Amino acid sequence: MTTTSTLPKASSVEGGNPLQGLLALGQSPWLDFIRRNILLNGDLKKMIANDGLRGMTSNPSIFEKAITGSDDYSDLLNAPEAKTLNAKGLYEQIAIRDVQTAADIFRGVYDETKGADGFVSLEVSPTLANDTQGTIEEARRLRKAVNRLNVMIKVPATKEGIPAIRELLEEGININITLLFAQSAYEQVAEAYIAALEARAAKGQDVSKIASVASFFVSRIDPLIDREIDAKLKSETDAKKKELLASIEGKVAIANARKTYAKYQELFGGARWKALASKGAHTQRLLWASTSTKNPKFRDVLYVEELIGADTVDTIPPATIDAFRDHGKLRNSLTDDVPGSVKVMSDLEAAGISMKEVTDKLVADGVKQFADAFVKLLAAVDKHAGVRG
């Protein structure tokens, strides 16, 4: 497969820090967390140096926890000018400053990898998930406000979000596409990226400095499907059907991701992509999001260990980062038993569970959860600053 990624290589996959070992297998670990204290006290710089950290993602829920769980933002929240801003305006001051600081810390990674890595993500308002033009305008505004080469603007892969993604990429804005659960949605996102770069190339514009990741949410899938499996097991009387149901428990999310990675290799391995790669274009890497294990029956690093592969990103929350650093096991797992993954997905349908219905629900639920988190965030800003608006 043609790719222009120039990721640093860890010295050895065996031994040492497993997070560093991810780099040797072509995967970039990103931190799914932001808080001002780690930007200022040197912790983030240490993670870049010691863990091979290559990027950072943020979202309203993360900022809400940062604001309510620390005094890190009291200077902005208590500033006289805070009284002149509504809650969203004040939140954006907080978020933009943090993203700028983080982007500056990651700038060395960005330069070292020639723009393939070192990104920090900032999300458009989740309330715009079903508003194409509103998303475009806010993405432009946030990108201009942050004013860093290595910022990515997060846009959800809703029906209305995909045309916004297409337009923003053609304009040259780096986009982190979120809320991907289904391979079919991923294919639309990859098409939007390739088409945007082709349009730029046709106009003689540079395609070598545009970056995008397709954030495929993982661990939210299994709990929803496993609840359906449990319900069916309680009422099913046929022994073979019960065996089939039990055989796919806890396996669908990984199988779905591995199938999607195979599609990624196909899309970014053909002649159409090679024409763009010859102009310096970077592949739109799959990013594994929501990688903390929800079910205590499974390993706490399950969704990291089973989704390691070349030209991918894994954005990992702090507790899972610590767990993987402590006892993570390394192997090139994304290409393990792809036929087995295909079988898991076909067995799911044979068991009477529709993956389309599951992923449609997860997207709708995700949009609502993100919007609710944004409302909660603004309420936290309002409370801690004493502002109204």
Side-chain angles (χ1 to χ4, degrees):
M1 181 177 64
T2 302
T3 176
T4 58
S5 294
T6 54
L7 299 172
K9 301 297 183 184
S11 59
S12 173
V13 175
E14 297 298 331
N17 186 341
L19 290 164
Q20 283 278 5
L22 292 174
L23 294 174
L25 295 172
Q27 183 171 81
S28 294
W30 289 10
L31 179 64
D32 192 23
F33 180 78
I34 195 167
R35 183 170 289 183
R36 188 131 192 94
N37 68 328
I38 71 165
L39 306 179
L40 301 181
N41 66 11
D43 283 354
L44 181 60
K45 290 179 181 178
K46 288 177 184 175
M47 293 182 75
I48 292 170
N50 299 334
D51 296 327
L53 200 67
R54 288 297 177 262
M56 174 179 274
T57 50
S58 69
N59 62 47
S61 180
I62 288 172
F63 272 112
E64 187 267 331
K65 290 181 177 67
I67 290 167
T68 59
S70 74
D71 295 323
D72 291 358
Y73 304 98
S74 58
D75 60 330
L76 292 182
L77 292 168
N78 297 328
E81 54 268 28
K83 304 299 182 183
T84 68
L85 297 170
N86 63 19
K88 185 180 179 187
L90 188 48
Y91 152 68
E92 287 187 358
Q93 271 198 352
I94 289 168
I96 288 167
R97 184 180 67 171
D98 271 9
V99 170
Q100 287 174 327
T101 304
D104 290 344
I105 293 170
F106 276 107
R107 182 57 191 263
V109 174
Y110 178 84
D111 291 340
E112 178 187 352
T113 61
K114 299 179 182 178
D117 237 324
F119 292 95
V120 182
S121 295
L122 178 63
E123 189 163 347
V124 298
S125 169
T127 62
L128 297 171
N130 299 316
D131 180 349
T132 301
Q133 193 57 38
T135 294
I136 291 170
E137 291 169 2
E138 180 147 317
R140 289 170 178 160
R141 181 175 62 80
L142 290 175
R143 191 257 195 138
K144 183 178 180 181
V146 175
N147 192 29
R148 298 293 188 274
L149 289 175
N150 55 327
V151 66
M152 277 190 175
I153 304 301
K154 294 175 78 172
V155 177
T158 57
K159 178 183 176 183
E160 296 80 7
I162 288 175
I165 289 162
R166 167 68 175 77
E167 183 165 334
L168 292 165
L169 285 166
E170 186 175 341
E171 290 178 11
I173 297 176
N174 302 323
I175 303 295
N176 177 341
I177 297 108
T178 68
L179 282 182
L180 283 166
F181 296 95
Q183 182 178 311
S184 57
Y186 163 70
E187 290 178 33
Q188 293 179 58
V189 162
E191 170 59 30
Y193 180 66
I194 293 170
L197 265 58
E198 287 174 334
R200 284 182 64 84
K203 292 183 287 188
Q205 296 175 330
D206 188 8
V207 297
S208 68
K209 294 181 176 62
I210 300 175
S212 178
V213 291
S215 292
F216 207 77
F217 284 51
V218 183
S219 69
R220 297 186 189 188
I221 291 174
D222 282 336
L224 184 56
I225 287 178
D226 289 352
R227 283 197 296 272
E228 290 199 37
I229 290 173
D230 289 343
K232 286 181 176 292
L233 283 171
K234 289 175 183 176
S235 59
E236 184 58 66
T237 57
D238 184 277
K240 287 187 177 180
K241 288 185 179 179
K242 290 184 78 168
E243 183 180 355
L244 180 65
L245 285 163
S247 72
I248 57 176
E249 183 179 9
K251 295 180 179 178
V252 173
I254 291 167
N256 188 44
R258 288 178 177 173
K259 273 192 66 185
T260 302
Y261 182 66
K263 175 57 68 172
Y264 161 83
Q265 291 179 307
E266 176 187 326
L267 292 171
F268 289 93
R272 187 180 175 195
W273 175 252
K274 287 177 182 177
L276 289 167
S278 69
K279 301 178 187 297
H282 297 285
T283 58
Q284 181 192 56
R285 290 177 295 172
L286 276 162
L287 177 152
W288 310 123
S290 186
T291 53
S292 60
T293 304
K294 306 294 190 287
N295 190 332
K297 291 196 308 185
F298 303 134
R299 277 176 64 80
D300 56 358
V301 291
L302 173 71
Y303 296 110
V304 181
E305 289 180 339
E306 297 301 320
L307 297 175
I308 302 171
D311 299 308
T312 58
V313 177
D314 196 333
T315 185
I316 314 172
T320 309
I321 284 261
D322 291 342
F324 193 78
R325 185 192 297 115
D326 178 69
H327 53 264
K329 296 179 180 177
L330 292 161
R331 75 184 198 283
N332 193 347
S333 54
L334 262 176
T335 52
D336 276 3
D337 192 17
V338 175
S341 294
V342 173
K343 184 177 186 301
V344 167
M345 301 308 294
S346 62
D347 285 348
L348 181 72
E349 298 294 331
I353 299 174
S354 167
M355 189 63 179
K356 183 180 186 306
E357 290 180 7
V358 168
T359 55
D360 285 350
K361 176 175 172 49
L362 285 167
V363 171
D365 288 351
V367 168
K368 183 179 186 304
Q369 287 168 8
F370 281 11
D372 289 348
F374 194 65
V375 170
K376 187 177 180 183
L377 164 66
L378 296 186
V381 170
D382 191 61
K383 177 181 177 182
H384 282 69
V387 299
R388 294 293 181 267

